[in-house]
Amino acid sequence: MADKTQASLLLAKQLKDLSRNPVDGFSAGLVNDDNMFEWSLKIIGPSGTCYDGGFFDAIMTFPANYPNSPPTVKFVSDMWHPNVYYPDGKVCISILHDPGEDPNGYELSSERWTPIHTVESIVLSIISWLSSPNDGSPANVDAAIEWRSKRGDFIKRKQLWIIIPDSIS
């Protein structure tokens, strides 16, 4: 119970910090005001990428022992990306993998979760790999193949999926 209380206090602080000092590229808030452990994210597609102009919704769910264990992030908007499981939307990025040695030997322990990560550092990492996917260790093999060898098809598909809000278009 103490872990959950400490996690809740830390998450409240991070939410307050983000509301006082917004970060370019995304916004974050609670899905439900009664649950500090589930956040709604709106991620803006990075300029100059095939995601440019898009707004993507995701949910970040924190464990009771955060920051000792990583949250999960799942896109609720359709997301075609080598590092996002399709169709469920779950993000596969090293910093969200449990701390310690990788049982598959693909990642260094230094690339995996550490308690120094914050909501901001996680989402900025996700925005970064929207520009530069890790197609060598894909969650979505079909998207990785398309990214590597049929980039034009990948870009066309993304353009069809991007949702641009009415207020902007």
Side-chain angles (χ1 to χ4, degrees):
M1 184 64 161
D3 277 352
K4 190 169 184 175
T5 301
Q6 289 174 335
S8 183
L9 291 171
L10 178 59
L11 289 167
K13 180 188 179 321
Q14 288 184 29
L15 183 61
K16 187 176 181 181
D17 290 347
L18 283 171
S19 65
R20 285 187 178 163
N21 303 303
V23 177
D24 287 343
F26 76 95
S27 63
L30 299 179
V31 170
N32 177 329
D33 289 339
D34 296 333
N35 183 0
M36 188 59 67
F37 294 88
E38 190 172 54
W39 290 32
S40 174
L41 304 172
K42 173 103 35 206
I43 299 173
I44 301 168
S47 180
T49 71
C50 59
Y51 300 95
D52 191 353
F55 285 70
F56 304 95
D57 294 316
I59 301 292
M60 185 178 288
T61 305
F62 298 88
N65 68 338
Y66 175 82
N68 295 320
S69 293
T72 58
V73 179
K74 184 175 179 175
F75 280 96
V76 292
S77 299
D78 281 336
M79 177 55 70
W80 185 252
H81 188 280
N83 306 116
V84 176
Y85 289 97
Y86 185 79
D88 84 344
K90 187 175 179 190
V91 170
C92 181
I93 188 171
S94 297
I95 65 167
L96 294 179
H97 295 161
D98 287 331
E101 296 299 317
D102 178 4
N104 300 312
Y106 292 117
E107 301 167 332
L108 299 173
S109 60
S110 62
E111 297 172 318
R112 296 167 68 87
W113 179 258
T114 63
I116 62 167
H117 286 294
T118 63
V119 172
E120 180 178 342
S121 70
I122 295 164
V123 179
L124 289 176
S125 292
I126 292 169
I127 291 170
S128 174
W129 67 236
L130 285 175
S131 303
S132 302
N134 176 3
D135 61 0
S137 178
N140 181 337
V141 174
D142 293 334
I145 291 169
E146 206 170 73
W147 173 260
R148 270 189 238 129
S149 58
K150 299 177 187 174
R151 187 72 54 95
D153 291 347
F154 186 93
I155 291 169
K156 283 178 192 171
R157 179 192 308 263
K158 282 309 313 147
Q159 295 307 315
L160 294 174
W161 285 15
I162 288 179
I163 298 168
I164 299 175
D166 291 335
S167 61
I168 294 177
S169 59

